[in-house]
Amino acid sequence: MITPLLFLQLCVLSIVLPTTGSAFMLSGREDDLFAEILRDEAVSRLNQLGKVSDADGYLERTFMSPASVRAANLIRAWMEDAGLTTWMDYMGNVHGRVEGLNASAEALLIGSHLDTVVDAGIFDGSLGIISAISALKVLKSNGTLTNLIRPVEVIAFSDEEGVRFQSTFLGSAAVAGILPVSALQISDKSGVNVQDALKENSIAITEESLFQLKYDPQSVWGYIEVHIEQGPVLEWVGFPLGVVKGIAGQTRLKVTVRGSQGHAGTVPMSLRQDPMAASAELIMLLESLCKNPKDFLSYDGHCNDSTVESLSNSLVCTVGEISTWPSASNVIPGQVTFTVDLRAMDNMGREAVLYELSNRMYEICERRSVSCIIERKHDANAVICDSELTSELKFAANAALKRITGEIQDEVPVLMSGAGHDAMAMSHLTKVGMLFVRCRGGVSHSPAEHVLDDDVWAAGLSILAFLETHM
């Protein structure tokens, strides 16, 4: 059986273990490699941003929360320190731009997200923003920032994780022009909708201004994103950096199961219509289907051998949130709601799984005499990164590692991403490329998330090398 770890390892292309072991040996003069900006200051800023939280004792920044606004202001100040012209748009995204030699040329966009999950690590999203700002600050410090042949714009997206409104990519989808007007009316658990959350922060977004956020595709040359790997492959092969070949597609569901609320001590088991017991069976179905999709899917025109094989290697499903009403220990619940996060590399296969899952869920609910409502809250197709940008990022990563180590290194790994990124939304606007940075143990979405200081340095130096090819 192919485990998720083995699958990730199999996705690594043309790779040879480096002779230096599990970590690169650093050499050369640090002052020639801008370590003070790309490593020391960048790491300090990551730690500083990691303290900007809405919670005491752990990191949490959700869309338009007080902490996210403070983080946006901090990032904007760092952009201005790097010589960029800054602004915040109607969706709370923070932009920093330098026009270069030709303000009318197609722009290079570099971005990642400033929001976090609950009890987050400090590198997810933030690393991509700060590394880009640091690289541009180096160009400012050596007097070459205005030598760029095209405009370069760094964007700190306001929402990627989708924690508050269960609708990911609010920020990048708006810029890409794929965010529907209806998204403004999505409400959080407190009943506050997206439009209200923006209004509370003095941002009066309207249907017209939402459409104005979309960038003209003719004005954009491409989009790149630096992000922690959130997986173990780079650490396993001993490389600090890897380029991304593609990103798995994903669907988020909200499942609501309604039964008959009653007294825990007086309703006989044979007469119960218990949505909690039904939900437990539904969740077990999900786990079984996602562990062994070939046992559930039929082979027809919509699901062939290659599709099932792809699902066996890449399909992952998660129930991350569950709530009950009225949520009392002595009451049979009247309603249970839970979320489903389903991801796969094959779009057709993902749809086949969703179709089979839905049918079987409805059958279970009917057999148990409870009602079942399945809502699709988010969909994103798998994305293949642009070959030109991937090649340029690979060259830049190689150049950066050579500058740090003073030696020619083995080929930079090429990976697939099981996690979603803003690049998925931006792919609807322009060509996209991504660079992954090694993280300890592959751990992410956790305070244990960690990136070595020298790997932060390597990431910044790679962006710098990429920018230098556009001068």
Side-chain angles (χ1 to χ4, degrees), residues 233-422:
V233 176
L234 290 175
E235 185 177 61
W236 180 70
V237 299
F239 260 79
L241 304 172
V243 292
V244 180
K245 182 181 180 182
I247 307 169
Q250 59 180 271
T251 295
R252 288 189 181 184
L253 306 176
K254 177 183 178 182
V255 182
T256 302
V257 185
R258 294 193 178 102
S260 181
Q261 188 172 319
H263 194 292
T266 62
V267 181
M269 296 300 292
S270 60
L271 299 180
R272 296 190 180 197
Q273 296 169 277
D274 187 346
M276 179 65 81
S279 295
E281 186 173 351
L282 297 178
I283 294 169
M284 290 304 295
L285 165 68
L286 175 73
E287 182 185 44
S288 297
L289 195 161
C290 293
K291 279 186 173 180
N292 301 290
K294 64 180 181 298
D295 295 341
F296 290 82
L297 302 179
S298 60
Y299 289 75
D300 54 28
H302 300 288
C303 196
N304 54 34
D305 286 349
S306 62
T307 297
V308 173
E309 183 63 27
S310 173
L311 290 171
S312 297
N313 291 336
S314 69
L315 178 63
V316 290
C317 308
T318 304
V319 173
E321 185 177 349
I322 187 166
S323 61
T324 69
W325 178 261
S327 193
S329 61
N330 61 343
V331 179
I332 303 166
Q335 177 175 300
V336 176
T337 302
F338 63 91
T339 61
V340 174
D341 183 310
L342 191 150
R343 309 185 188 206
M345 298 294 178
D346 187 289
N347 291 325
M348 185 178 294
R350 179 166 48 87
E351 289 297 333
V353 169
L354 289 165
Y355 178 80
E356 187 67 24
L357 176 66
S358 298
N359 285 342
R360 293 186 182 236
M361 279 185 163
Y362 288 131
E363 289 174 0
I364 290 171
C365 288
E366 184 177 1
R367 172 167 49 82
R368 286 182 167 271
S369 298
V370 296
S371 70
C372 184
I373 300 172
I374 303 172
E375 302 173 83
R376 292 179 74 147
K377 307 298 288 186
H378 170 74
D379 278 294
N381 281 335
V383 170
I384 301 301
C385 293
D386 179 74
S387 58
E388 177 188 358
L389 281 177
T390 299
S391 179
E392 287 195 33
L393 285 169
K394 192 173 186 179
F395 178 83
N398 272 319
L401 295 177
K402 182 180 178 182
R403 289 173 72 178
I404 290 176
T405 64
E407 301 174 357
I408 297 176
Q409 301 297 331
D410 292 309
E411 197 77 357
V412 170
V414 180
L415 312 175
M416 293 294 291
S417 174
H421 302 286
D422 287 298

Side-chain angles (χ1 to χ4, degrees), residues 1-17:
M1 178 179 178
I2 298 177
T3 66
L5 174 58
L6 181 55
F7 163 68
L8 288 170
Q9 294 166 355
L10 291 172
C11 287
V12 181
L13 307 180
S14 305
I15 196 163
V16 178
L17 287 176

